[in-house]
Amino acid sequence: MTAAGAAALLAACSAGSEPKAPPASASAAPGVSGPAPIPAGPSPESARTAQRARYGIPDFAPAPPAQPITLPAGDSVEFLRRIPTTQKVAFLTIDDGYLKKPEAQELIAAAGVPVTLFLTTDAIKDDPDFFQPMVAAGAVIEAHSVSHPGMRGRSHEFQRRQICESADQLARWFGKRPTLFRPPYGEKDATTLRAAKECGMAATFFWTETVHKGKVRYQEGSTVQPGDILLMHFREAFRADFVGALKAIHRAGLTPALLEDYIPVPPAPAQGSPAARSSD
C-alpha cells in the first residue's frame, strides 16, 4: 500500500470511531434533568377567596382581641340576649342540626369566620360526623338540649337531664364538653338557669336578630349593633341565611367574633354534683 493510501485509510477509521452528537431535540440545558416541574396549585387561602367570591361572602378584618365580660356568682347562670361590649363585633350562632346539607360545610370553611353551633343531640345523632369539618374550620359546638322541648314550667329533673345529658353526649362525639346552653325556642324559667349552672354551663343565650330565608329580622332598630347575637338554623335556605347574616354584619361595620371568647370558662363541676354524676 502506498503512503497516500495508508493515510486515507487511517483518516476514515478515525472519523467512524467518534461519538455522534445527540439530536438537538434530545439535548437538555446544563444542570437540568427530568421533566419540567409542575406549576403549584392555588394556596388554601386563594381557594377560600375564590369560594367567598362564588358565594358572595364579604371579607372581614380579623376580630379584635376579646374583652371577656364579668358574670355574677350564684346558683344560677345569666340569660344573655347580647354581649355587653362596645367592641365592633357581632356573634353568629346556628341552631339544631336537623338538616345536613354539604353546602353548609363548604360555606363555613370558605367564610373563615367564627361561629357557634347550638346542637340538639337527637337532631344530629344520625350523623354527628357531618359537623366535624365545621369544627376543623373553627366552629365551636355548644348544647341545645337532647330532644328540643320547651323548658319553661318543666320539672328540675327534666330540665337538668335535657341540659346535662346533651352536654355529655356532645363531649363524647366532639371531645369537648359544652359550657354554653341555648334553651329551645329561647324559653326558660328560674329552674332552667339553676339546672344549667348545675350542669356546668357558664351562661344561657337568647338572640337579638333572627335570619330566615335570607332575611334578617331585627328586634331593635334596623342594623346589627356591637355585641348582637344573630340566630339562624340548619335549614333548606342555609346558604341564603348564612350569607345574609354575614352581609348584615358587614354593612354595620362589624366583624364576626367567637361567642366563647367573651364568656369566662366556668370551673369544672365538683365531684358529686349533678353534672359530674351525669358524666359517670
Side-chain angles (χ1 to χ4, degrees):
M1 179 181 296
T2 66
L9 178 60
L10 179 60
C13 291
S14 299
S17 64
E18 289 179 357
K20 295 181 178 179
S25 60
S27 62
V32 177
S33 62
I38 300 173
S43 68
E45 183 52 42
S46 64
R48 283 192 293 270
T49 299
Q51 283 282 70
R52 288 196 293 270
R54 172 190 169 199
Y55 286 118
I57 296 172
D59 291 325
F60 293 95
Q67 297 174 353
I69 65 175
T70 300
L71 295 172
D75 296 333
S76 300
V77 298
E78 285 285 286
F79 184 63
L80 300 169
R81 61 185 298 272
R82 64 184 307 279
I83 298 297
T85 182
T86 58
Q87 290 188 292
K88 293 187 175 183
V89 297
F91 306 93
L92 181 56
T93 64
I94 311 175
D95 278 14
D96 298 345
Y98 290 101
L99 184 63
K100 303 169 185 66
K101 298 181 67 176
E103 189 176 51
Q105 300 170 335
E106 299 172 8
L107 283 157
I108 289 175
V113 300
V115 296
T116 299
L117 313 181
F118 286 101
L119 299 182
T120 304
T121 53
D122 277 1
I124 72 167
K125 65 183 180 182
D126 60 328
D127 188 11
D129 285 345
F130 171 81
F131 299 91
Q132 292 288 6
M134 303 180 199
V135 175
V140 177
I141 291 177
E142 303 291 358
H144 193 41
S145 81
V146 173
S147 58
H148 208 278
M151 304 286 270
R152 186 183 298 129
R154 308 299 287 264
S155 71
H156 175 269
E157 178 59 25
F158 176 89
Q159 296 200 46
R160 189 191 66 79
R161 187 169 61 250
Q162 285 284 332
I163 302 170
C164 285
E165 291 184 7
S166 67
D168 292 344
Q169 183 60 64
L170 291 169
R172 286 190 286 270
W173 282 330
F174 301 104
K176 176 184 176 297
R177 194 174 191 275
T179 58
L180 309 182
F181 176 68
R182 172 172 278 155
Y185 314 108
E187 294 181 0
K188 53 84 183 175
D189 57 16
T191 301
T192 313
L193 305 184
R194 287 196 304 271
K197 182 80 170 189
E198 294 172 356
C199 291
M201 301 295 108
T204 58
F205 292 87
F206 197 65
W207 51 82
T208 46
E209 286 89 23
T210 60
V211 192
H212 185 49
K213 295 184 178 180
K215 182 177 181 180
V216 178
R217 292 170 170 82
Y218 299 91
Q219 295 183 353
E220 297 177 0
S222 58
T223 188
V224 182
Q225 300 293 325
D228 278 3
I229 299 172
L230 288 79
L231 165 67
M232 56 173 287
H233 295 79
F234 287 95
R235 290 176 173 161
E236 191 64 41
F238 185 94
R239 175 177 176 176
D241 292 349
F242 187 75
V243 175
L246 293 180
K247 286 184 174 180
I249 294 171
H250 190 265
R251 282 195 303 270
L254 306 178
T255 297
L258 187 63
L259 189 59
E260 286 75 5
D261 288 346
Y262 286 75
I263 306 299
V265 177
Q271 290 298 317
S273 70
R277 290 198 302 271
S278 73
S279 300
D280 294 341

